[in-house]
Amino acid sequence: MLTKFRTGSFSQQGGFTLVELAIVILIMGLILGGLAMPLSTQLDNARIRETRTALQDIDDALQGFAMTNGHLPCPATPASLGFADVSGGGCVAQHGFVPASTLGVSGPRNGDNLLLDAWANPFRYSVSAVDADGDGNWDFTAPGEMRDVSLGVLDPDLTVCSTATGSSATACAGPATTLTDSAPVIVFSMGKDWSTFTSADQQENVGATLAGGPTATSYRVPADNVAVSRRPGEQAGNEFDDIVSWIAGSALYHRMVSAGQLP
């Protein structure tokens, strides 16, 4: 009996092609690289991303508030329980905390109802206290005052420097270290090491204290109109992990003009 053999190519058997094998090796490398990063570092990075996202939400809420109301809200204080703390034509405090309840911003709160960053520490918030026309009303927080003063005269005085070295209570050492000298508002997180640090740059951001809330906590807040923002660093005595955000005056004015709040 003759046995018939089928001619033609053999059917392909299971296995990896070189391309597929390269992809598998790449994926395994990425997985191993992720495992090589300490869990604490991964957690810190996640908290930094979470805090930056929260700062962007606060920025959007502040500009939305100004577009609706024609001015920026005053900072919250421990006693105001998350609401803007207003006093006459100004604010109870120029440097305090994000008025999250006034803005309608959600997020974790502490016993004084202050909005917290990813390290369970309240976000700090400062507003310009200039009064260009001398009428006793802060230009950026008193209702109707931004329109009364007018665009050509509005001149916020909050300043952000790349270092505290050589700075004063109102200005950076010079143009080379000045990131902005005309911010109407500054918001920042004190970062992971909020309870213990020694660097001059971080000390500049919180040189005073503010208390008076239900928990009787005394919080560190800015003492003047200068803040520092720079690259993170861990060297003892020069550490820095504050995450600082500010709104440029031009960006705020543009959005308020588009909303009909400024001419």
Side-chain angles (χ1 to χ4, degrees):
M1 176 182 292
L2 294 176
T3 303
K4 294 183 179 180
F5 292 92
R6 299 184 63 179
T7 61
S9 61
F10 291 101
S11 60
Q12 291 185 347
Q13 298 181 356
F16 292 108
T17 66
L18 289 177
V19 173
E20 291 170 334
L21 185 59
I23 292 173
V24 171
I25 292 173
L26 175 61
I27 293 173
M28 291 301 295
L30 292 174
I31 292 173
L32 292 174
L35 293 176
M37 182 182 294
L39 181 59
S40 60
T41 300
Q42 296 182 53
L43 181 59
D44 286 343
N45 289 341
R47 286 173 171 166
I48 290 171
R49 291 193 297 270
E50 179 184 337
T51 296
R52 291 190 182 280
T53 297
L55 284 170
Q56 183 60 59
D57 290 342
I58 293 167
D59 180 301
D60 292 342
L62 286 168
Q63 297 199 58
F65 181 94
M67 292 169 67
T68 301
N69 298 280
H71 63 93
L72 290 166
C74 288
T77 63
S80 71
L81 300 177
F83 289 92
D85 209 346
V86 182
S87 176
C91 304
V92 169
Q94 180 185 7
H95 310 289
F97 308 93
V98 172
S101 295
T102 297
L103 294 172
V105 176
S106 61
R109 312 290 182 93
N110 66 3
D112 293 321
N113 203 37
L114 300 176
L115 184 68
L116 304 177
D117 62 18
W119 295 276
N121 189 41
F123 284 102
R124 271 57 175 182
Y125 169 68
S126 299
V127 291
S128 176
V130 292
D131 177 13
D133 56 7
D135 65 354
N137 296 313
W138 292 12
D139 294 349
F140 288 89
T141 58
E145 194 66 11
M146 290 182 71
R147 178 182 287 272
D148 290 345
V149 171
S150 78
L151 276 173
V153 180
L154 286 171
D155 187 21
D157 60 354
L158 294 179
T159 296
V160 183
C161 311
S162 60
T163 176
T165 302
S167 69
S168 67
T170 58
C172 306
T177 61
T178 302
L179 302 179
T180 181
D181 60 1
S182 58
V185 56
I186 296 174
V187 186
F188 70 95
S189 159
M190 291 177 65
K192 176 184 177 180
D193 68 355
W194 62 270
S195 62
T196 306
F197 51 84
T198 60
S199 74
D201 288 342
Q202 291 194 145
Q203 295 282 355
E204 174 58 48
N205 286 346
V206 283
T209 58
L210 189 61
T215 68
T217 300
S218 181
Y219 300 94
R220 301 179 72 167
V221 295
D224 55 38
N225 285 7
V226 170
V228 173
S229 177
R230 66 170 175 84
R231 291 181 179 276
E234 298 182 358
Q235 181 182 1
N238 193 39
E239 66 273 16
F240 192 87
D241 66 355
D242 292 3
I243 305 173
V244 183
S245 175
W246 63 91
I247 298 175
S250 57
L252 179 65
Y253 307 153
H254 176 76
R255 297 190 70 172
M256 293 181 69
V257 168
S258 68
Q261 293 291 353
L262 288 175

